[in-house]
Amino acid sequence: SMPLTDASVGRPAQYEPPPLYRIRATSLFDAGLQQGRMAGTRIRGWLSTPEMKGLRNYTDRDGAAGFAQLKRDNAATFPQLVRELEGVASGAGVPPDDIWRATMINELESLRSTAPGAWHAGHCSDVYAVPPGGYSAGFAHGHNEDWPGPIWQYWYFVAYSAAPGADFASCAGAVYPGGLLGWAASWNARGLYLTQNSLFPKRNLPGGLSSAFVQRAALCGAGGGEAAAGSLDELVGALSTPRGGLGWSSAASLNLVS
């Protein structure tokens, strides 16, 4: 008999859960290198899908200028996180631009979707449950990571542990293959957790800061000794404060839990 499937993504009702890669490092380049080696098969598999091939075609042609500007803006603002991406590319044996595309898929697909006649797919959803006694009696938060297509075959979890002498803060979460930790459901070592729901603004900037970079820097720091957020106020402040005079390229709905 055929397995039941989730009609929205074509996923079997029962399937193997994503793996968890535990990584201990002193630099973000080394952390990325280890991730690329551990998850290389999944990263290369995701990059070979029609969605990612289409995105490569877009950034090689109509979206080339915007892609180049996004790379310049985020590299200038988050140099240590870029070193992590370079490590992932090296470990997985893929061109660095493939990892940039995987990291900035939110902005690149938003820019591409502003073309006339573009179709917007729905993505993730979140649910909060609060008991009759209010938050003081406890609460629950659930996140549905339901990006359509074959991504469910390739994503994974990563836990970065900062070794003694490391210049970055520990961080963990779900990763879209090759993308930056911190974009999907992620948490830091100080008890803060975030998830993202995709939005589809009618106007997106072909430049500015990528949500993956901003979220990672706000939650876990951007490397170079930058500390992770320790409170919701710190996290909200870091998410909403421009860096280097630049704001977000696109937009997202974020859910924060302490």
Side-chain angles (χ1 to χ4, degrees):
S1 61
M2 295 294 291
L4 296 175
T5 62
D6 179 330
S8 65
V9 296
R11 181 174 59 222
Q14 293 185 342
Y15 71 105
E16 289 297 316
L20 166 62
Y21 301 121
R22 296 184 181 275
I23 294 170
R24 186 175 176 85
T26 58
S27 73
L28 286 174
F29 178 84
D30 183 44
L33 184 68
Q34 292 184 55
Q35 181 190 155
R37 289 171 175 167
M38 293 177 179
T41 299
R42 286 175 174 260
I43 292 170
R44 292 186 295 272
W46 171 235
L47 294 175
S48 70
T49 62
E51 180 172 5
M52 293 307 294
K53 287 181 177 178
L55 200 60
R56 185 184 308 122
N57 183 62
Y58 169 70
T59 57
D60 284 346
R61 298 181 181 180
D62 294 347
F67 182 46
Q69 187 61 53
L70 282 164
K71 287 171 58 181
R72 283 192 294 270
D73 289 343
N74 288 277
T77 309
F78 305 105
Q80 295 299 318
L81 295 180
V82 172
R83 289 291 290 156
E84 179 181 331
L85 298 187
E86 292 169 348
V88 172
S90 180
V94 300
D97 273 359
D98 280 351
I99 301 304
W100 275 101
R101 276 184 282 266
T103 292
M104 300 193 299
I105 188 172
N106 187 82
E107 288 70 32
L108 295 172
E109 291 205 350
S110 291
L111 286 168
R112 185 174 60 172
S113 72
T114 55
W119 177 73
H120 292 160
H123 292 320
C124 306
S125 53
D126 285 68
V127 175
Y128 288 85
V130 182
Y135 284 104
S136 61
F139 69 94
H141 167 255
H143 176 77
N144 189 32
E145 197 71 37
D146 55 0
W147 191 281
I151 183 65
W152 64 269
Q153 301 175 54
Y154 303 111
W155 52 27
Y156 50 87
F157 289 93
V158 165
Y160 283 171
S161 294
D167 64 352
F168 67 94
S170 297
C171 196
V175 175
Y176 278 54
L180 195 64
L181 171 63
W183 184 57
S186 303
W187 54 94
N188 68 19
R190 304 181 71 183
L192 293 177
Y193 166 81
L194 68 76
T195 65
Q196 193 214 73
N197 309 124
S198 297
L199 296 179
F200 304 99
K202 294 182 178 180
R203 180 172 179 266
N204 299 276
L205 303 178
L209 303 182
S210 165
S211 56
F213 284 97
V214 177
Q215 291 172 212
R216 168 66 176 280
L219 182 67
C220 299
E226 186 174 309
S231 68
L232 285 177
D233 285 344
E234 287 182 13
L235 182 53
V236 171
L239 289 166
S240 58
T241 302
R243 286 189 177 229
L246 295 170
W248 291 46
S249 165
S250 187
S253 171
L254 298 181
N255 308 278
L256 313 177
V257 177
S258 174

